[in-house]
C-alpha cells in the first residue's frame, strides 16, 4: 500500500509513477494504447470528482473516516489491474480465497507491494464523486439523487449491441452495490453470495434518437454495513433501458448531469487543512501532479486518442479547437479540468474510454478467477506434496527408529555372542590346559616314566573305545579312560521289568491319528520327484562377509547318548560350537554322559575338514555330519533345511571326501543319498572286485545316513553265518551261510507265516499294516551289542536307569542271539560292523557284574561258537565269511531289502519286509506340530522304534561279478617261474634298502636301491605285463626292471652317491633310509650332527637338514602316503625319544610350509630308556610302534600319548624289525629268530621262533600274510593268524638284507648282501581258501 504523504493531492507521487511506468512501458503496442485510454478515463473521472469535492464541500453523506487514502487505494487497485494485463501480478479480495495473495516477479516487487485494496468501495466512490462533480445542476438538486438516478446518468444513449456480462465484472468493482440490492424487488440467492438483479420494465424500447453506442457503467454507493460477499450485479442492457426511458421522455436529450456517474461526494479534508485557499489554488494543489501525467498521455498517444475520442458529430476532439494546444502548452490545471468537464469531452470519454475501462476491469476479473483457480490448484498440489513429504518424514523417522533399534539389538546380540565366544574360548583353553597337564602327569607317572614304578600297587587302568576311524570307518583303537570304573553301583533289572512288544505297540497307537495329519509332504515330494541327478543343485561360492562371524545359528550337537542345544558360529577359517549350559535339558543330562561327549565347546579349523554329508535326524533332513582330519566326525542338527544349506555354503568345498570318486563341491555335500549313490563309482568298483564286501557295505551305510554319532541310525550289517554250534566251520558249505534274499524275520518259515498273518489281519485304522513291530537296528540293540565296552556301558546304564539288563536278556552268547533272531517274534536284529573287526566287544575286560542266568551260568565274556577259539578268531572267520563267494553272489539281494527297492512299497510287502510306519523317512513332519508335548511323544516313538535307512535305489541292485570272470588267471595253473630276474650292480656293496613305488599313477615308477656305501640307484619299473603270457615265444620280452643308466655306465655316478659323513658308530641298515612315495627324495639318518637329511634322487643334492634330536638319529620310518604325497615321517634316536614329523608333498620338505628355517615335530614320543632301534607308523590307525635296545616295545598315539606296553615272552629281547598293517596287526621281530604278533591294542596274538637270522620282513596289504628273509637267503611266506609257513622260495647265494613288494603285490624284490637284487613272482591268491577248493 502506498504511504499517504499529502492528503490534499488526488494521487500520490508513487501512484503517478506507477501509472506512468505501466502506460509508457511499450508505447507502440496496442496493449499500451488500450491502457492509455483506460488511464485517461480513470484520471479524468478522478479529476472531475476532485473538482466536484472542492466545489461542494458540504454534503449530506459525510465520510469523516475516509481520506485521500481511498483515492490512492483506488489508483493502487487500478495499477494492480494494469499489472495483471501485462501478466505480472494480481491482488484481489474474494470470498473463495479470503486474504490469500500471490506475489509477482522480483522486478515488480515494489509495484505489487502496494497493490492491496481495502474492499470493493473505492472505485464506486470515485465514480459517484465524479458524477456529482460534473453535474451542472444546483447543489440542492443533487442531494435528492438516489442510486437509480446515478445508474441512469452513467449511460448517455441506449445501445443493444453493447452488453456486459455481469459475471465478468470483478467483485471488487461490484461489491458495494448493496444499496440497490436492498431496494430491488427481485432477489436471487446463490451458494456464496446474493445476486440482486434489477427488474426489466415492460414496454421499454430503445431510443432511436442516438445511434452511437454508449458503454454501460455501474456505480455503487458505499455502505459500511453491507458484507462484501453480498453483491448487486446490474447488466449494462438493463441500465441502458432504464436511462433511455427517461431520456426519451425528455425529448431524447441526455442532460449533462446524467452523462457521468452521480456519487455521493466525499467529505473534503481540505476545509480543515487550508481554509483560506481559493478554489483555483486548491485545484492546482490537488491536481498538480496528476495533470502532467494526463497531458503526457494526451500528447504521446495523440494519434491514437484523436482517432478514439470523437465528438457527438464524429469530430476528433483532441485535434479540434485548442484542446491539444492546451495540453501541450498550458500548464494550468483549471483549464484542463474545464476542458474535461465540457459536455463533448464528458460524452466522448464516457462512451469511448469508459468502455475500455470496463473491459479492463472485466479482464482483470477473468484473470483473477483464473489466478484463483490456479492458486487453489497450486495450493492443493502443495498441500499434497507437503502431506506426502510429511508422510515420508514420518516413515523415514519410523524407519530410522526401527534401524536404530535393530542396530542396537544386533550390537547387543553381537556383544552377547562375543562374550559367549570369549567365555567358550576360555573354557576350551582350560580344557586343553587340563588335558596337557594330565598328559604330562601320565607321561611322568607311567611305569616307563620318570616318576613311574612297575610295582603291583599301581592303580587299575580302564580303557574305552576311541572315536578314531580308519579308512573303512572301523574304530579299533582303545585309549585310557580317566572316567572308567567297573560300575559296581549298577544293579540288575528284574525279569518282569521288560514289557512285551505288543503292549508297547498298543500304547503307541494313540497318537497315530495326530501324526497321520502331519505327513512330511516335502520329503515325499522330493522322493517322488527325485530324478537322481545332481544337475539341479546349484553350486555357489560364499562371499566372505565383513566381521569375524560369517554365520551364527542355533544347532544341536548330536552325540551317541546326548543331544545338546547350542550355537554354531562360522568364521572365515574356523567352526565353533558352544553348548547352552543354562538350558534345562542340558542340566538334566548325566555328567557321566557329558564326559564322553566331545565337541561341547568345539573348535575346528577349516583346514581340518575332510568331508561334509547331509544327514537325517529323527527322520528330518536337517542335519550335517562333518568329518575331520583327526578321523573323528561331528554331527549337528539345524532348525530347517534352509539353515543346512547356509551352513554348507559357509564351509569349505570338500564334498563328501575323496573316497567315492565324487567331485569336492558344496552341491555334493547337499546331495541326497540317491544322488550320491548314482553319481559315485563305488558300485562299479565293487562289481569289479576292486573293493571288498565290507568296504562296500560301509559305503552304503555312510551315504544312506547311518552314523556312529546317532545310535538310532547305527550302521547295519547282515548276519551271514548260520552255524554257531559245530567244532569246525567249513566255509565251502552253502548250508553254513544265510539266505540273504530274505529279511532276518522271514528266514524261519513258521515265524514268517506268523508275521504274514499279522500283516493280513491287521485292522487298525490309525496304524498302517506292518510285519515287524520292532526294527532290525535301534539304539537299544546297538548298546546291547557293545555293552562290555566303554563308553557304551555308560550309555546303556543311562538308558536303563542305572541298571544292567536281566542276565537272560543280556547279549551273552552269539549262538543264543542267532537263535532268538530266528524264533522270537519281537527280535529281528541285524548285526553291526563291529562283528567283523572288533574282537574286544566280546570280552568283559572291565569285569562288570552282568548277573547270573536262570540255568545258573554267570554272564561275563560273550560265549563264542565252538569253531572260534578266541574273539579274534571269531572276528576273522566272520569277516572271511562276509568276503566269501557265497555272500558276494547274493549280497545285492540283501542290499535290495535294506537300502533298495524292496525297502518300501509293494515289493517290501511281497518280501515280508514292512516295518512300523514311524521307522520310514517322510512318515511325519515334526515342524508341523504346534503342541510341544505331542511332538516330544512322536520324537520318543521315532527314537524307540528305530529308523530305516534312506532308500538308495528303486530298481534291483546289480550283482557282483564272479571271481572267475574278474581274475580268470587265479584259477588256472600258473607256469610261472618263482624267480623273475636278478639284477647285479657294479658296486658289490650290500643292498641295504629297497623301495618299490610302482603304483600306476606315478610319473616315474621305479625300484630304488641303496647300498651300504650309500650309493643309490633309480631303476625304472616296466611291470610284469610281458611275464604273464610267456607262451607267445616271438613276443618282444622286456624285463620288469631296467637298471639305472648312471650306475650301469658308471658315468655320472657322483649324482647317485651320498658322500656326507655318518656317525662312525652307526651300522647301516634298512631302517636308516626312507624313499618318498613319488621316488623323488631319499631321507637318510645317522649323521654325526644329530640330524637327518633329505636328498634329491635326480641330482643327489642335499635339499634339507632336519634337527630335533639330542643324539644321533638311528632309525626312520614313514607312514602310507595320501593324495599329494603327504605322509608322516618318524625318527628314532639314541636320546630314547621319537619325533613325528610331517612331510609336505607339495613343497617336498619336512614341515608345514616351505622356507621355514626351523621345523617343529608334530609330536614327541617318550617312554623308552635307551636307543630306539626300530619303529613303524600307521597313519590310518593313528599309532606309532617302536622298539629300543633294552626294554619293551611301546605303542603311542600320533598325539604323543603312550597307549600300550607290549608284554612279550622272556626269550624275546632286543626288537630289530617292526611291521604294522592297516588291518590292526603289528608284527615284531626280536633277536634270535623270535616273532611276536600283537593287536593294535597291545594284545599278544601269537609267537613264533625261526632258526634264520631275519634281516627283512613285510606284511601283505590285508595283513594276512608275512614275508621274511634273512642271512639264509630264503624268502618265506607265512600265514599271519597262526604262523603257518605257506611257501619258501628257492634259496639265494647270499643273505637277504632288505625287501620290498610291488604295488600290485605280484613281485617281491629283495636286496642281497652280494650287491644285487632278486625279483620273485608272488600271488597271495594261491593260498586263499577259495582258490584251493577251486569251486
Amino acid at each position: 500500500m502506498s504511504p499517504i504523504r499529502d492528503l490534499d493531492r488526488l494521487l500520490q507521487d508513487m501512484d503517478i509513477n506507477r501509472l506512468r511506468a505501466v502506460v509508457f512501458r511499450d508505447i507502440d503496442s496496442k496493449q499500451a494504447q488500450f491502457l492509455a485510454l483506460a488511464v485517461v478515463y480513470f484520471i479524468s473521472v478522478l479529476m472531475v470528482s476532485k473538482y466536484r469535492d472542492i466545489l461542494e464541500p458540504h454534503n449530506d453523506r459525510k465520510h469523516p473516516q475516509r481520506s485521500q487514502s481511498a483515492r490512492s487505494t483506488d489508483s493502487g487497485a487500478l495499477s494492480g489491474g494494469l499489472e495483471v494485463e501485462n501478466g505480472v501480478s494480481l491482488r484481489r479480495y474474494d470470498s473463495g480465497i479470503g486474504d490469500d495473495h500471490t506475489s509477482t516477479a522480483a522486478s515488480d516487487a515494489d509495484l505489487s507491494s502496494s497493490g492491496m485494496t481495502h474492499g470493493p468501495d473505492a472505485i464506486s466512490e470515485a465514480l459517484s464523486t465524479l458524477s456529482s462533480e460534473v453535474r451542472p445542476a444546483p447543489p440542492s438538486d443533487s442531494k435528492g439523487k438516489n442510486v437509480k438516478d446515478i445508474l441512469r446518468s452513467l449511460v448517455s444513449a441506449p445501445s443493444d449491441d453493447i452488453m456486459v456480462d455481469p459475471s465478468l465484472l470483478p467483485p471488487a468493482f461490484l461489491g458495494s452495490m448493496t444499496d440497490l440490492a436492498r431496494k430491488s424487488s427481485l432477489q436471487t440467492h446463490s451458494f456464496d453470495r446474493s445476486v440482486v438483479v434489477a427488474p426489466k420494465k415492460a414496454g421499454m424500447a430503445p431510443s432511436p434518437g442516438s445511434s452511437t453506442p454508449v458503454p454501460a457503467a455501474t456505480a455503487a454507493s458505499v455502505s459500511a454495513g453491507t458484507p462484501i460477499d453480498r453483491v448487486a450485479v446490474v447488466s449494462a442492457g438493463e441500465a441502458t433501458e432504464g436511462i433511455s426511458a427517461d431520456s426519451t421522455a425528455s425529448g431524447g436529450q441526455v442532460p449533462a448531469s446524467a452523462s457521468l456517474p452521480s456519487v455521493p461526494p466525499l467529505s473534503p479534508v481540505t476545509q480543515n487543512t487550508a481554509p483560506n485557499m481559493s478554489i483555483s489554488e486548491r485545484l492546482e494543489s490537488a491536481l498538480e501532479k496528476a495533470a502532467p501525467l494526463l497531458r503526457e498521455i494526451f500528447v504521446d498517444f495523440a494519434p491514437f486518442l484523436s482517432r478514439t475520442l470523437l465528438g457527438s458529430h464524429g469530430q476528433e476532439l483532441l485535434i479540434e479547437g485548442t484542446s491539444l494546444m492546451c495540453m501541450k502548452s498550458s500548464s494550468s490545471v483549471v483549464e484542463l479540468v474545464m476542458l474535461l468537464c465540457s459536455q463533448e469531452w464528458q460524452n466522448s470519454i464516457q462512451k469511448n474510454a469508459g468502455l475500455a475501462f470496463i473491459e479492463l476491469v472485466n479482464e482483470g476479473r477473468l484473470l483473477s478467477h483464473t489466478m484463483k483457480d490456479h492458486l487453489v490448484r497450486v495450493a492443493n498440489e502443495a498441500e499434497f506434496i507437503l502431506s506426502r513429504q510429511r508422510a515420508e518424514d514420518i516413515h523415514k523417522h519410523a524407519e530410522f527408529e526401527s534401524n536404530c533399534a535393530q542396530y542396537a539389538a544386533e550390537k547387543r546380540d553381537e556383544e552377547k555372542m562375543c562374550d559367549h565366544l570369549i567365555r567358550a574360548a576360555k573354557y576350551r583353553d582350560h580344557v586343553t590346559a587340563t588335558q596337557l597337564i594330565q598328559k604330562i602327569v601320565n607321561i611322568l607317572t607311567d611305569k616307563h616314566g620318570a616318576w613311574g614304578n612297575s610295582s603291583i600297587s599301581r592303580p587299575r587302568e580302564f580303557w574305552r573305545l576311541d572315536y578314531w576311524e580308519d579308512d573303512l570307518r572301523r574304530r579299533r583303537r582303545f585309549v585310557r579312560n580317566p572316567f572308567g570304573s567297573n560300575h559296581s553301583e549298577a544293579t540288575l533289572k528284574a525279569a518282569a521289568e521288560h514289557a512285551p512288544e505288543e503292549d508297547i505297540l498298543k500304547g503307541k497307537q494313540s497318537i497315530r491319528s495326530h501324526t497321520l495329519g502331519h505327513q512330511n509332504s516335502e520329503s515325499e515330494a522330493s522322493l517322488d520327484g527325485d530324478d537322481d541327478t545332481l544337475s539341479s543343485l546349484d553350486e555357489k561360492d560364499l562371499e566372505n562377509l565383513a566381521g569375524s562371524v560369517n554365520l551364527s545359528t542355533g544347532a544341536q550337537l548330536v552325540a551317541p547318548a546326548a543331544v545338546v542345544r547350542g550355537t554354531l558360529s562360522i568364521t572365515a577359517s574356523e567352526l565353533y560350537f558352544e553348548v547352552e549350559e543354562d538350558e534345562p535339558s542340558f542340566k538334566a543330562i548325566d555328567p557321566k554322559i557329558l564326559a564322553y561327549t566331545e565337541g561341547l565347546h568345539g573348535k575346528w579349523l577349516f583346514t581340518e575338514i575332510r568331508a561334509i554329508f547331509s544327514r537325517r535326524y529323527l527322520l528330518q533332513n536337517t542335519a550335517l555330519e562333518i568329518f575331520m582330519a583327526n578321523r573323528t566326525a561331528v554331527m549337528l542338527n539345524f532348525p530347517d533345511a534352509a539353515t543346512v544349506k547356509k551352513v554348507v555354503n559357509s564351509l569349505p568345498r570338500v564334498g563328501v571326501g575323496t573316497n567315492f570318486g565324487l567331485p569336492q563341491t558344496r552341491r555334493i555335500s547337499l546331495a541326497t543319498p540317491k544322488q550320491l549313490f548314482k553319481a559315485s563309482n563305488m558300485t562299479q568298483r565293487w562289481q569289479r572286485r576292486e573293493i571288498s564286501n565290507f568296504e562296500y557295505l560301509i559305503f552304503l551305510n555312510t551315504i544312506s545316513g547311518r552314523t556312529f554319532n546317532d545310535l538310532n541310525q547305527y550302521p547295519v550289517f547282515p548276519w551271514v553265518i548260520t552255524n554257531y554250534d559245530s567244532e569246525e566251520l567249513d566255509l565251502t558249505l552253502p548250508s553254513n551261510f544265510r539266505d540273504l534274499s530274505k529279511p532276518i524275520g522271514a528266514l524261519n518259515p513258521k515265524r514268517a507265516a506268523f508275521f504274514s498273518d499279522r500283516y493280513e489281519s491287521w485292522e487298525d485304522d490309525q496304524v498302517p499294516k506292518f510285519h515287524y513291530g520292532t526294527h532290525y537296528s535301534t539304539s537299544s540293540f546297538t548298546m546291547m551289542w557293545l555293552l562290555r565296552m566303554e563308553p557304551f556301558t555308560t550309555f546303556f546304564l543311562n538308558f536303563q536307569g542305572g541298571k544292567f539288563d536281566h542276565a537272560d536278556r543280556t547279549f551273552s552268547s552269539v549262538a543264543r542271539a542267532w537263535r532268538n533272531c530266528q524264533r522270537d517274534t519281537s527280535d529281528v536284529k541285524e548285526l553291526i560292523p563291529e562283528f567283523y573287526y572288533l574282537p574286544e566287544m566280546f570280552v568283559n575286560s572291565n569285569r562288570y557284574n552282568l548277573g547270573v542266568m536262570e540255568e545258573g551260568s554267570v554272564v561275563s565274556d560273550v560265549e563264542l561258537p565252538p569253531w572260534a577259539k578266541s574273539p579274534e578268531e571269531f572276528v576273522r572267520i566272520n569277516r572271511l565269511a562276509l568276503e566269501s563267494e557265497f555272500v558276494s553272489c547274493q549280497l545285492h539281494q540283501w542290499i535290495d531289502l535294506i537300502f533298495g527297492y524292496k525297502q518300501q512299497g509293494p515289493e517290501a510287502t511281497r518280501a515280508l519286509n514292512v516295518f512300523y510306519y514311524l521307522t520310514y523317512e517322510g512318515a511325519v513332519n515334526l515342524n508341523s506340530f504346534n503342541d510341544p508335548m505331542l511332538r516330544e511323544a512322536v520324537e520318543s516313538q521315532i527314537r524307540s522304534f528305530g529308523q530305516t535307512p534312506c532308500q538308495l535305489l528303486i530298481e534291483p541292485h546289480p550283482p557282483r561279478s564272479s571271481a572267475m570272470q574278474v581274475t580268470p588267471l587265479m584259477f588256472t595253473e600258473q607256469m610261472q617261474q618263482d624267480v623273475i630276474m636278478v639284477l647285479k650292480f657294479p658296486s658289490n656293496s650290500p643292498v641295504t634298502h629297497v623301495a618299490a613305488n610302482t603304483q600306476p599313477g606315478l610319473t616315474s615308477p621305479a625300484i630304488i636301491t641303496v647300498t651300504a656305501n650309500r650309493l643309490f640307484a633309480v631303476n625304472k619299473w616296466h611291470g610284469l605285463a610281458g611275464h604273464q603270457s610267456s607262451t607267445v615265444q616271438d613276443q618282444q620280452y622286456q624285463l620288469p626292471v631296467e637298471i639305472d643308466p648312471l650306475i650301469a655306465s658308471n658315468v655320472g655316478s657322483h649324482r647317485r652317491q651320498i658322500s656326507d659323513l655318518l656317525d662312525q658308530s652307526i651300522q647301516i641298515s634298512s631302517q636308516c633310509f626312507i624313499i618318498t612315495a613319488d621316488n623323488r627324495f631319499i631321507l637318510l639318518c645317522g649323521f654325526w650332527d644329530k640330524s637327518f637329511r633329505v636328498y634329491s634322487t635326480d641330482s643327489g643334492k642335499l635339499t634339507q637338514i632336519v634337527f630335533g634330536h639330542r643324539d644321533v638319529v638311528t632309525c626312520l620310518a614313514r607312514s602310507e602316503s595320501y593324495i599329494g604325497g603327504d605322509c608322516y615321517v618318524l625318527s628314532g634316536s639314541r636320546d630314547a625319544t621319537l619325533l613325528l614329523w610331517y612331510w609336505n608333498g607339495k613343497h617336498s620338505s619336512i614341515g608345514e610350509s616351505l622356507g621355514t628355517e626351523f621345523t617343529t615335530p608334530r609330536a614327541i614320543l617318550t617312554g623308552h630308556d635307551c636307543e630306539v632301534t626300530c619303529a613303524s607308523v600307521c597313519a590310518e590307525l593313528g599309532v606309532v610302534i617302536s622298539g629300543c635296545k633294552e626294554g619293551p616295545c611301546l605303542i603311542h598315539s600320533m598325539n604323543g600319548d603312550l597307549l600300550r606296553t607290549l608284554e612279550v615272552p622272556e626269550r624275546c629281547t632286543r626288537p630289530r624289525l617292526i611291521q604294522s598293517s592297516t588291518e590292526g596287526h603289528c608284527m615284531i621281530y626280536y633277536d634270535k629268530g623270535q616273532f611276536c604278533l600283537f593287536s593294535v591294542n597291545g594284545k599278544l596274538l601269537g609267537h613264533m621262533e625261526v632258526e634264520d637270522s631275519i634281516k627283512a620282513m613285510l606284511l601283505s596289504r590285508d595283513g594276512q600274510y608275512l614275508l621274511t628273509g634273512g642271512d639264509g637267503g630264503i624268502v618265506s611266506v607265512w600265514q599271519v593268524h597262526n604262523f603257518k609257513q605257506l611257501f619258501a622260495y628257492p634259496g639265494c647265494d647270499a643273505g637277504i638284507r632288505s625287501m620290498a613288494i610291488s604295488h600290485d603285490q605280484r613281485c617281491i624284490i629283495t636286496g642281497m648282501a652280494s650287491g644285487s637284487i632278486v625279483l620273485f613272482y608272488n600271488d597271495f591268491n594261491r593260498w586263499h581258501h577259495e582258490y584251493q577248493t577251486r569251486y
Side-chain angles (χ1 to χ4, degrees), residues 90 92-102 193 368-376 379:
L90 168 76
R92 60 180 283 262
Y93 277 67
D94 189 85
S95 61
I97 299 179
D99 293 334
D100 290 354
H101 306 292
T102 60
R193 56 175 69 88
S368 70
H369 271 292
T370 307
M371 185 58 70
K372 171 193 171 185
D373 296 341
H374 177 68
L375 285 174
V376 170

Side-chain angles (χ1 to χ4, degrees), residues 534-594:
L534 295 172
S535 58
S536 60
L537 294 169
D538 56 331
E539 172 76 14
K540 92 172 178 182
D541 290 329
L542 180 82
E543 298 173 2
N544 277 336
L545 304 175
S548 56
V549 177
N550 288 347
L551 179 67
S552 181
T553 178
Q556 291 173 299
L557 178 71
V558 182
V563 180
V564 295
R565 293 187 181 279
T567 304
L568 182 77
S569 303
I570 302 175
T571 68
S573 61
E574 291 166 328
L575 177 71
Y576 296 90
F577 180 81
E578 300 305 329
V579 68
E580 293 178 8
E581 296 184 346
D582 299 331
E583 184 88 14
S585 59
F586 179 79
K587 294 179 178 177
I589 299 175
D590 190 337
K592 294 178 183 175
I593 297 294
L594 294 176

Side-chain angles (χ1 to χ4, degrees), residues 1120-1135:
E1120 64 276 29
S1121 283
Y1122 287 93
I1123 292 175
D1126 292 8
C1127 63
Y1128 288 100
V1129 170
L1130 185 69
S1131 62
S1133 167
R1134 284 180 183 159
D1135 64 7

Side-chain angles (χ1 to χ4, degrees), residues 143-198:
K143 290 180 184 175
K145 291 277 184 185
N146 59 16
V147 176
K148 286 185 179 182
D149 297 332
I150 296 171
L151 286 173
R152 288 192 188 95
S153 69
L154 283 174
V155 182
S156 62
S159 175
D160 290 333
D161 56 344
I162 299 176
M163 298 289 290
V164 179
D165 186 357
S167 66
L168 297 179
L169 295 175
F173 185 68
L174 300 174
S176 296
M177 301 179 66
T178 52
D179 290 347
L180 178 64
R182 289 196 188 96
K183 298 176 183 178
S184 173
S185 60
L186 180 63
Q187 293 187 353
T188 305
H189 296 277
S190 69
F191 67 94
D192 64 341
R193 56 175 69 88
S194 298
V195 180
V196 183
V197 181

